[in-house]
Amino acid sequence: MSARAPTLAGPTRDHLDWPFFAPEQRAYVEKLDAFAASGALAGIDHHDVDTSCRALVRQLGAAGLLAAAVPEGDATAETLQSRAICLARETLAWHDGLADFAFAMQGLGTGAIALSGAPDLRRAVLPKVRSGQWLAAFALSEQEAGSDVAAMACAARAEGEHYVLDGEKTWISNGGIADVYTVFARTGEAPGTRGISAFVVFADDPGFSIVRRIEVMAPHPLATIRFENCRIPASRRLGAPGEGFKIAMRTLDIFRASVAAAALGFARRALDESIAHAKSRRMFGATLGDLQLTQAALGDMATGIDGAALLTYRAAWRRDVQKLPTTREAAMAKMTATETAQQVIDRAVQMFGGRGVTCGEITERLYREIRALRIYEGATEVQKLIVARELLKG
């Protein structure tokens, strides 16, 4: 049996020298690396994702790392820096996909609240999520309304100073363990997406329930949730009636580039593992890395990752520094990074041979974790349509 590659301490940081980053982002990465080096990510139990996610969120909050994704109660989401969010997701994904998930959902679940919530609502929710005391969720998708948000059936009707929600949402990340949910429901001000509004629902609101938990190939908390005559105060509506779709898209624009960054983290880990394996694996009187086919594969992997990273951090820099829309740029980054990461990880699995598909190996875990990123927050096919639409508009 061949010797196993040495354990990797952490990701390489060559790209931090790129001009996209300022000293504050580099300092934030140092905090992330110190958090990982503390052993906080060492004991993640993928067989008990609920407990692991709660623990991860508490630890991330206590370390002050959630501040990059969740603003203070008196601030708005416009104060968030996309570059910091992306660096956090890339770093955490390199170490463990569940750690990345725990961080990302705190931001995505509260992004709409930070963008459009009333001041009292922001002050009530954001500090608890930012500190890791509460877990957050983003409830947009339905069984027949995934990419086609206009097909949404979950409805909310106004009754005096309240709204009453009825319907179901599915594939909701953190469903079943979240304390606060950002929910999108049809209110009927106009046809299609112009008749959707956004609301905040708490897990203990009467009429809210978990229908079923959903198990997926890369385990994380996921559920179908239901609203049955769920009455909430009108003060928990986010923005004006009918603005829900716009709020959802603004939220996704902030965090979509970070999905690309998570894919980068997975891809970089696959490349780092492949390099270490190629150096240590003996075969045919040499090492795997001495073979030209291996060298060609590593060259392709590294080049693809750098190309995807340039697109990812261009999108984040454009939003942070130029203060310009990033709909097209974020879509390009998300599409390219996730598809590239799939190719890189597949090649890593091939390079590892039998070990690559053995349960418990890092390459096997990465292979399962990357697949969902090509779907959620807009599948690759949807990203292509977004890019084309933006080109035709311009």
Side-chain angles (χ1 to χ4, degrees):
M1 181 177 291
S2 63
R4 295 205 167 196
T7 301
L8 303 179
T12 55
R13 296 298 188 191
D14 294 348
H15 60 299
L16 286 181
D17 293 332
W18 293 354
F20 294 123
F21 304 110
E24 55 264 35
Q25 282 95 48
R26 297 185 181 100
Y28 181 62
V29 169
E30 291 180 3
K31 289 181 64 176
L32 288 163
D33 287 341
F35 177 77
S38 72
L41 305 178
I44 297 175
D45 183 358
H46 293 91
H47 300 290
D48 186 357
V49 294
D50 290 6
T51 300
S52 292
C53 280
R54 291 190 183 100
L56 283 164
V57 168
R58 285 195 300 271
Q59 291 172 311
L60 288 164
L65 295 173
L66 293 176
V70 185
E72 295 179 300
D74 290 326
T76 73
E78 301 299 347
T79 64
L80 297 177
Q81 292 284 301
S82 292
R83 288 168 295 171
I85 296 171
C86 288
L87 287 167
R89 295 202 64 181
E90 180 181 340
T91 300
L92 293 170
W94 189 95
H95 287 282
D96 194 283
L98 205 58
D100 163 62
F101 169 86
F103 171 89
M105 283 312 305
Q106 293 298 89
L108 183 61
T110 57
I113 301 172
L115 280 169
S116 303
D120 287 348
L121 186 60
R122 293 204 308 269
R123 285 191 288 267
V125 173
L126 297 182
K128 291 182 178 179
V129 177
R130 180 184 169 103
S131 67
Q133 181 181 347
W134 279 6
L135 276 69
F138 183 83
L140 179 65
S141 297
E142 299 180 9
Q143 188 69 40
E144 302 297 332
S147 298
D148 183 11
V149 178
M152 183 179 297
C154 183
R157 67 181 186 275
E159 287 190 359
E161 296 299 315
H162 292 80
Y163 278 90
V164 180
L165 279 67
D166 286 287
E168 289 188 0
K169 298 286 180 180
T170 194
W171 303 300
I172 305 306
S173 294
N174 271 354
I177 65 171
D179 301 279
V180 58
Y181 294 76
T182 297
V183 179
F184 298 86
R186 181 165 300 286
T187 43
E189 288 76 17
T193 57
R194 293 177 297 162
I196 294 170
S197 299
F199 304 91
V200 171
V201 176
F202 297 125
D204 58 359
D205 282 332
F208 171 84
S209 63
I210 306 300
V211 178
R212 67 184 180 99
R213 298 296 297 273
I214 301 170
E215 294 185 11
V216 288
M217 59 196 299
H220 67 272
L222 198 69
T224 298
I225 62 177
R226 178 178 295 160
F227 308 95
E228 294 180 284
N229 200 35
C230 181
R231 181 179 296 270
I232 63 172
S235 59
R236 287 205 234 144
R237 189 189 66 227
L238 303 176
E243 288 188 345
F245 179 75
K246 181 171 68 174
I247 292 169
M249 294 304 104
R250 286 176 65 199
T251 303
L252 292 175
D253 272 349
I254 295 172
F255 290 96
R256 183 167 283 143
S258 78
V259 181
L264 286 175
F266 291 146
R268 289 192 196 279
R269 182 62 182 268
L271 176 60
D272 290 345
E273 294 287 341
S274 297
I275 293 170
H277 180 64
K279 289 179 176 179
S280 63
R281 176 71 162 96
R282 301 291 303 179
M283 59 190 309
F284 304 121
T287 67
L288 182 62
D290 291 323
L291 302 179
Q292 288 186 330
L293 282 173
T294 302
Q295 294 170 15
L298 293 173
D300 284 342
M301 293 159 78
T303 302
I305 290 171
D306 268 13
L310 287 165
L311 284 173
T312 300
Y313 288 108
R314 176 191 69 162
W317 177 84
R318 178 180 167 93
R319 178 185 178 275
D320 290 350
V321 178
Q322 293 187 300
K323 309 297 182 184
L324 293 172
T326 59
T327 301
R328 182 182 69 177
E329 291 76 13
M332 286 180 171
K334 200 267 185 185
M335 171 178 67
T336 303
T338 56
E339 292 294 330
T340 297
Q342 181 79 68
Q343 295 165 14
V344 167
I345 293 167
D346 184 76
R347 187 159 279 182
V349 169
Q350 192 76 7
M351 197 177 298
F352 271 75
R355 274 186 60 197
V357 292
T358 302
C359 290
E361 291 283 349
I362 290 174
T363 48
E364 180 267 342
R365 189 189 78 204
L366 290 169
Y367 196 80
R368 288 184 288 106
E369 286 178 330
I370 188 56
R371 190 59 186 85
L373 267 67
R374 294 169 58 204
I375 297 172
Y376 75 66
E377 288 194 41
T380 295
E381 293 76 12
V382 173
Q383 304 309 316
K384 292 179 180 180
L385 296 177
I386 292 171
V387 172
R389 182 191 67 201
E390 294 298 308
L391 290 171
L392 292 170
K393 278 169 55 178

